[in-house]
Amino acid sequence: MAYSDKVIDHYQHPRNVGSFGTSKEVATRKDVGVGIVGAPECGDVMQLQIKVNDAGVIEDAKFKCFGCGSAIASSSLATEWIKGKSVDEALAIKNTQIVEELSLPPVKIHCSVLAEDSIRSAIADYKKKNGIAAATTQEASAH
Amino acid sequence: MAVKLPIYMDNAATTRTDPRVVEAMLPYFTEKFGNSASRNHKFGWEAEDAVDLAREQAAALIGASPKEIVWTSGSTESNNLAIKGAARMYARSPEGTKGRGHIIAAAHEHKAVLDPCKRLQNEGFDVTFLQPPADGVITRAMVAEAMREDTILVSIMWANNEIGTINEVPEIGALCHERGVIFHTDATQWVGKMPTDVEKDHIDLLSWSGHKMYGPKGVGALYVRRRNPRVRLEAIQDGGGHERGMRSGTLNVTGIVGFGKACEIALHEMDSERERLLNLRRKFERELSSRLEVTQVNGHADRRMPHILNISFGYVEGESLLMGIKDIACSSGSACTSASLEPSYVLKSLGVGDELAHSSLRLSLGRWSTEEEVDYAVEGIVKAVNHLRTMSPLWDLYKEGIDVSKIEWQTH
């Protein structure tokens, strides 16, 4: 299968790979939201960590991904897009925008869905840690 | 020596046609283009002579008589003809009834065996699909245990195409002959690489293909035993009665010439080739396993074809690994390229976890593989696996001492 140039670029030069600490460390940090979606047996696991400042803006984002090239590219792109956005702005990102930007073929749409889910899941984690009502994130579990 | 890129390491999928084979074929396109069934002119006689020679070459490779070779379009057709043809011929009751007979096959057979068996199930036959053990080897004892009074056919592949494991074919063949059961083997990955003798190995029906042994694509053969017992098949393709009525259709003379030549070369060169490839594969395996943590060679440690290496790299997904080794042509057990999210059914049948199945590569060497290519591939794979592990959340969890299999994942 041929990949788009943008997928190849993200695969070769992934943006914002990393984390803000081990799973135990970030579990207690209130300024960090963690989203882990997917499952190893499905061949896709995405981990997104967001660092949110007092103004509710995503200052920094880091990802890790076990998955195909399209999954890596989707999560890499997601970190680029959410950095500098407010939490609510980030929630507005749709998987279809990722599909369009990376020219993902139909069999790879689930990669973009996972990336959207990882954003919602990380924000939900952040809100939960900070006691913010998670009304806008309820649909995250609908997928 | 400089390595020419890309490197071909997918010889279990198909092989390069040997230039000697191509040379043998060429006159049969433009000069000796006759129909081997034309009985009354020189063009026909030339073609028939060529087909007869190829039949001898093919028979010699497996210890058969030339009269026992039926030409087909490849292993898929040979398997279909053998399995459906034998089942329908030896059915214990007529079409439309139940209990027409019992068939035994392995769960990790190629789809070209599994799907004909499934079609026969719909036609009223009972099929037992034997679950292979963790090492992937189907033994005589496993088949013996599954045998019933109404068993009419056993089909067990000689060597598995994904993991290269070798089943106990001569032993299973002997068992079938003791019980009076027809025995078919899909020997696509075996013939031309390993010594084969249909008499000593007790085989009634044997499928193989040209393009897996440096011959052309689109041509295959089915060995059909003619005595002790004489095996009869119900044809699938009817027409001019070619191939003793078992497979009608004008013969692919050019392809058959190539198939015969490929058999002749294999017979002379397989011993030295096997030794050379085994050494290369062992080096490949040793280097990858020693330079990378959490690797697993899939299938039996020793009972394996010399040219096939199936290896999983923990916490790295196969398709992304292939992307990282673009100049090494090989395949992955990851199903990410298909619409389903299911990884290789062969690896799953051995009990390899889904996650390690997604992380597998099949590297298969061939006649033109060199040590330099293996060295190059080792470097490329080690680099790509390490790159992907720096990105893998599962690798982090593993490094933190967390058992990934114990986490409750949100599956889609």
Side-chain angles (χ1 to χ4, degrees), chain B residues 86 100 189 246 280 320 372 376:
Chain B
R100 301 183 69 200
Q189 297 289 348
M246 282 188 269
L280 280 185
S320 63
E372 287 79 6
Y376 183 93

Side-chain angles (χ1 to χ4, degrees), chain A residues 3 11 23 41 64-65 108, chain B residues 319-320 358 390-391 400:
Chain A
Y3 293 96
Y11 174 85
S23 56
E41 62 261 35
K64 292 238 168 177
C65 178
K108 295 298 182 186
Chain B
E319 193 192 331
S320 63
H358 276 295
T390 63
M391 270 194 254
E400 284 176 36

Side-chain angles (χ1 to χ4, degrees), chain B residues 209-273:
Chain B
S209 194
H211 75 107
K212 307 278 193 196
M213 48 158 200
Y214 316 100
K217 294 171 184 60
V219 59
L222 177 64
Y223 158 78
V224 184
R225 177 175 286 279
R226 270 169 68 93
R227 52 164 77 176
N228 306 319
R230 180 185 181 89
V231 176
R232 293 179 305 144
L233 299 177
E234 187 183 298
I236 292 174
Q237 181 161 303
D238 299 315
H242 306 76
E243 300 300 277
R244 290 180 286 126
M246 282 188 269
R247 202 275 191 177
S248 289
T250 297
L251 296 186
N252 171 9
V253 176
T254 322
I256 289 166
V257 168
F259 187 102
K261 185 69 185 174
C263 288
E264 183 195 80
I265 295 170
L267 187 60
H268 290 118
E269 300 184 1
M270 75 165 93
D271 289 346
S272 57
E273 200 161 275

Side-chain angles (χ1 to χ4, degrees), chain B residues 274-309:
Chain B
R274 186 170 60 243
E275 202 54 35
R276 193 182 74 85
L277 292 181
L278 184 60
N279 287 330
L280 280 185
R281 193 205 77 203
R282 282 190 176 143
K283 178 179 184 184
F284 210 166
E285 208 169 295
R286 203 168 53 233
E287 292 278 321
L288 288 174
S289 307
S290 65
R291 290 181 55 185
L292 290 166
E293 289 176 71
V294 205
T295 60
Q296 173 183 308
V297 173
N298 297 309
H300 195 281
D302 305 312
R303 272 191 83 95
R304 228 153 13 102
M305 293 299 283
H307 64 301
I308 298 178
L309 170 59

Side-chain angles (χ1 to χ4, degrees), chain A residues 21-108:
Chain A
T22 65
S23 56
K24 273 187 201 137
E25 285 161 10
V26 292
T28 53
R29 275 183 65 173
K30 280 198 160 184
D31 61 331
V32 173
V34 181
I36 301 183
V37 295
E41 62 261 35
C42 302
D44 285 302
V45 176
M46 279 185 199
Q47 172 184 295
L48 179 67
Q49 298 189 352
I50 54 170
K51 198 163 150 192
V52 186
N53 68 16
D54 294 339
V57 171
I58 299 171
E59 253 180 10
D60 202 357
K62 297 278 187 199
F63 88 91
K64 292 238 168 177
C65 178
F66 164 85
C68 65
S70 303
I72 290 169
S74 297
S75 37
S76 170
L77 179 67
T79 60
E80 274 192 320
W81 278 1
I82 61 175
K83 265 167 92 169
K85 282 200 167 70
S86 75
V87 163
D88 289 332
E89 283 167 347
L91 282 174
I93 293 169
K94 294 281 172 233
N95 81 293
T96 48
Q97 295 167 282
I98 295 171
V99 171
E100 202 175 316
E101 174 68 16
L102 296 175
S103 314
L104 297 181
V107 295
K108 295 298 182 186

Side-chain angles (χ1 to χ4, degrees), chain A residues 1 3 11 14 17 22-23 36-43 45 47 64-69 72 108 110 114 117, chain B residues 315-317 319-320 323-324 336 341 354-355 358 387-388 390-394 396 400 402 404 409-412:
Chain A
M1 180 170 55
Y3 293 96
Y11 174 85
V17 173
T22 65
S23 56
I36 301 183
V37 295
E41 62 261 35
C42 302
V45 176
Q47 172 184 295
K64 292 238 168 177
C65 178
F66 164 85
C68 65
I72 290 169
K108 295 298 182 186
H110 72 276
L114 270 186
D117 284 354
Chain B
Y315 317 113
V316 170
E317 194 277 328
E319 193 192 331
S320 63
M323 233 178 131
C336 231
L341 291 174
D354 283 352
E355 176 240 321
H358 276 295
H387 170 66
L388 289 166
T390 63
M391 270 194 254
S392 169
L394 304 179
D396 285 353
E400 284 176 36
I402 297 167
V404 171
W409 299 96
Q410 317 161 238
T411 50
H412 265 257

